[in-house]
Amino acid sequence: MINPDLLLQFNAELIKIEKGHIIFDYGSKAQFYFQVKSVEVKMNNVNRDGKEFIQGIFYAGQSFGEPPLFADVAYPAGAEAITDAELYRLPKDIFFELLKQNPDTHLKISEVLASRLYYKAIMASEISSQEPEHRILRLLDYTKKHIHDLDSTDVLEVDLTRQQIADLTGLRVETVIRSCKSLEKKGEIQIKKRKIFR
Amino acid sequence: MINPDLLLQFNAELIKIEKGHIIFDYGSKAQFYFQVKSVEVKMNNVNRDGKEFIQGIFYAGQSFGEPPLFADVAYPAGAEAITDAELYRLPKDIFFELLKQNPDTHLKISEVLASRLYYKAIMASEISSQEPEHRILRLLDYTKKHIHDLDSTDVLEVDLTRQQIADLTGLRVETVIRSCKSLEKKGEIQIKKRKIFR
DNA sequence: AACCATTTATGATTTGAATCAGTTCTGGAA
DNA sequence: TTCCAGAACTGATTCAAATCATAAATGGTT
């Protein structure tokens, strides 16, 4: 979300991460600002106690892992590249220096935090309201609107596996599969060749 | 979280809200920055579709409802005073003006957003991991640490009703009651005269 | 002291997602 | 073309939280 030129101006490193490699671990200290550079790059977070819960998947142009930078806490989740990825990386103190010198950029970061908080707020209430089908629809609508910038008349081809949907919503694969079928019957989504469209 | 003097300097209004009165509605547009002034003041959010889910309860000195201000979206939840409350209220554009002129305050706001995001991230993964007892403990530990600023050796007297705990964790009252009893047996919490201590 | 609203408590039953176990499908590699 | 791993799918079973129903405790009010 920060202009790449500005990042480079502040000597941001451009690092390459191979698929499956760890970017930072759960519980470690935040030392860098990260922003996804190019290609469709996804990122997922794993949480302790066996089961995986994906906090979010991030694509080109998006930043991630900033909260611990500000809040001075350990990472609540680890981060991993799920495809080969290119990332901008900026050390913490330089990041703050950049913000200080560029109030507009700081405001943009606040916007990002705010909209992510908005998303989490919605997901939290939606997840709590059980109803697997609701959870899934909210997730799809969110990614459609906020990740792919489509409006409601467009059709989104969902590029998440059922397992990823499960990990994002806190459900089980089988439940996701069954719910999707049911949603298809209700006309809420379409499934063509196992791909989900919404 | 913003210094009250600074708020007043920017002509923030001081408004009184009676217990049970609505501060803003679900789905309405964000027009003000709000900050709780005095006394222990709680605030809760209600969501549509019947069931209540409390996004958070806010106490003296805390601000709330900022995300929609930044993200330019409608409120994902309504806000209501659960005791008589005094609030500072600052119109949106003046709020931004204040931030522009006070980078340090802006940074503080970012910190607040970030730490709330951190909390939501933890709650999200914790809620998804089912386990009512885990959810409750996480909630208690969070309020203990981040709301009341106690460290782990202190004992927190929880001032939430079982119903509020239920609404914060997405559980049912009965489940909360039963889980609390079980947690007491396991020595994770104490219950004296129906009050929970952790 | 009696009354009432709210909160806490408890037992019985239902329900639906998780779990378990196994099958089919698909696209890519050999 | 066959092979194979990963993903999607399906049915049967289990289990725990929601639900329902109802009672007891508590604090505040008159």
Side-chain angles (χ1 to χ4, degrees):
Chain A
M1 288 300 191
I2 297 184
N3 184 337
D5 293 341
L6 188 57
L7 281 171
L8 293 172
Q9 200 178 307
F10 277 79
N11 295 314
E13 273 183 277
L14 184 55
I15 59 171
K16 289 184 206 297
I17 308 269
E18 280 171 56
K19 176 178 173 174
H21 281 220
I22 305 299
I23 299 163
F24 52 74
D25 284 308
Y26 163 76
S28 62
K29 262 187 62 189
Q31 294 176 308
F32 295 98
Y33 167 83
F34 290 101
Q35 185 169 310
V36 181
K37 189 208 161 192
S38 67
V39 206
E40 180 173 296
V41 172
K42 306 175 199 168
M43 207 220 50
N44 84 7
N45 310 36
V46 184
N47 87 344
R48 75 227 132 259
D49 61 47
K51 184 173 176 205
E52 182 172 22
F53 181 82
I54 299 180
Q55 293 289 352
I57 295 186
F58 302 88
Y59 301 81
Q62 296 190 297
S63 57
F64 59 92
E66 322 89 323
L69 230 43
F70 286 104
D72 198 33
V73 290
Y75 282 115
E80 176 188 331
I82 45 182
T83 65
D84 287 5
E86 281 188 299
L87 304 174
Y88 290 110
R89 192 174 79 170
L90 199 61
K92 182 173 174 171
D93 44 344
I94 300 184
F95 170 65
F96 281 117
E97 189 54 38
L98 186 157
L99 292 191
K100 206 192 264 176
Q101 292 180 29
N102 298 273
D104 291 351
T105 299
H106 188 175
L107 197 59
K108 246 189 225 165
I109 296 280
S110 295
E111 280 169 26
V112 170
L113 292 179
S115 77
R116 216 172 293 157
L117 206 41
Y118 173 76
Y119 161 66
K120 289 273 181 196
I122 289 188
M123 283 307 289
S125 89
E126 218 64 45
I127 278 185
S128 91
S129 95
Q130 307 300 20
E131 304 282 285
E133 299 184 14
H134 270 203
R135 295 200 211 179
I136 294 171
L137 283 183
R138 280 300 149 278
L139 174 70
L140 297 184
D141 287 343
Y142 175 81
T143 53
K144 182 173 175 177
K145 190 169 168 196
H146 292 88
I147 310 276
H148 297 285
D149 278 321
L150 300 173
D151 69 66
S152 46
T153 55
D154 296 317
V155 172
L156 166 75
E157 179 182 338
V158 179
D159 63 343
L160 300 167
T161 66
R162 313 282 139 120
Q163 183 61 60
Q164 286 175 330
I165 294 176
D167 293 341
L168 281 159
T169 51
L171 298 168
R172 294 284 120 133
V173 213
E174 300 92 324
T175 306
V176 170
I177 290 169
R178 289 188 250 258
S179 301
C180 284
K181 300 243 148 161
S182 154
L183 284 169
E184 193 196 11
K185 262 200 196 101
K186 291 177 186 165
E188 295 285 358
I189 61 174
Q190 287 83 249
I191 301 179
K192 284 177 201 152
K193 292 195 54 104
R194 302 175 151 211
K195 277 237 161 290
I196 296 170
F197 296 83
R198 162 87 180 168
Chain B
M1 289 300 192
I2 296 184
N3 185 339
D5 294 340
L6 188 57
L7 281 171
L8 292 171
Q9 199 178 305
F10 277 80
N11 295 314
E13 273 183 278
L14 185 54
I15 58 171
K16 288 185 207 298
I17 307 270
E18 281 171 55
K19 176 178 172 173
H21 281 221
I22 303 298
I23 299 164
F24 51 75
D25 285 307
Y26 162 77
S28 63
K29 261 186 63 186
Q31 292 175 309
F32 295 98
Y33 167 81
F34 290 101
Q35 184 169 312
V36 181
K37 189 207 162 195
S38 69
V39 206
E40 180 173 295
V41 171
K42 307 176 200 170
M43 205 220 55
N44 84 9
N45 311 36
V46 183
N47 85 344
R48 76 229 132 257
D49 60 46
K51 182 172 178 205
E52 182 172 21
F53 181 83
I54 300 180
Q55 293 288 352
I57 295 186
F58 302 89
Y59 302 82
Q62 295 190 297
S63 55
F64 59 92
E66 324 88 323
L69 232 42
F70 285 104
D72 198 34
V73 289
Y75 282 116
E80 176 187 334
I82 47 182
T83 66
D84 287 5
E86 281 188 300
L87 303 175
Y88 291 110
R89 192 174 76 170
L90 200 61
K92 182 174 174 171
D93 44 343
I94 300 185
F95 170 66
F96 282 118
E97 189 55 36
L98 186 156
L99 291 192
K100 207 192 264 175
Q101 291 179 29
N102 299 274
D104 291 351
T105 300
H106 188 174
L107 196 59
K108 247 190 225 162
I109 296 280
S110 296
E111 278 169 27
V112 170
L113 293 179
S115 77
R116 216 172 294 156
L117 205 42
Y118 172 76
Y119 162 65
K120 290 274 181 195
I122 288 188
M123 283 308 287
S125 89
E126 220 65 43
I127 279 186
S128 92
S129 96
Q130 307 299 25
E131 305 282 287
E133 300 184 14
H134 269 203
R135 296 199 210 179
I136 294 170
L137 284 183
R138 281 299 150 279
L139 174 70
L140 297 184
D141 287 342
Y142 176 81
T143 54
K144 183 171 175 178
K145 189 169 168 194
H146 291 89
I147 312 278
H148 298 284
D149 278 321
L150 301 172
D151 69 64
S152 46
T153 55
D154 297 318
V155 172
L156 166 75
E157 180 181 337
V158 179
D159 63 342
L160 300 167
T161 67
R162 314 283 140 120
Q163 182 62 60
Q164 286 174 331
I165 294 175
D167 292 341
L168 280 159
T169 51
L171 298 167
R172 295 284 119 132
V173 214
E174 299 93 326
T175 307
V176 170
I177 290 169
R178 289 188 249 257
S179 301
C180 283
K181 300 243 150 165
S182 154
L183 284 170
E184 193 197 12
K185 262 198 198 105
K186 293 177 185 166
E188 295 285 357
I189 60 174
Q190 287 82 249
I191 301 179
K192 284 177 200 152
K193 293 192 54 98
R194 301 175 153 214
K195 277 234 159 293
I196 296 170
F197 296 83
R198 162 87 180 168

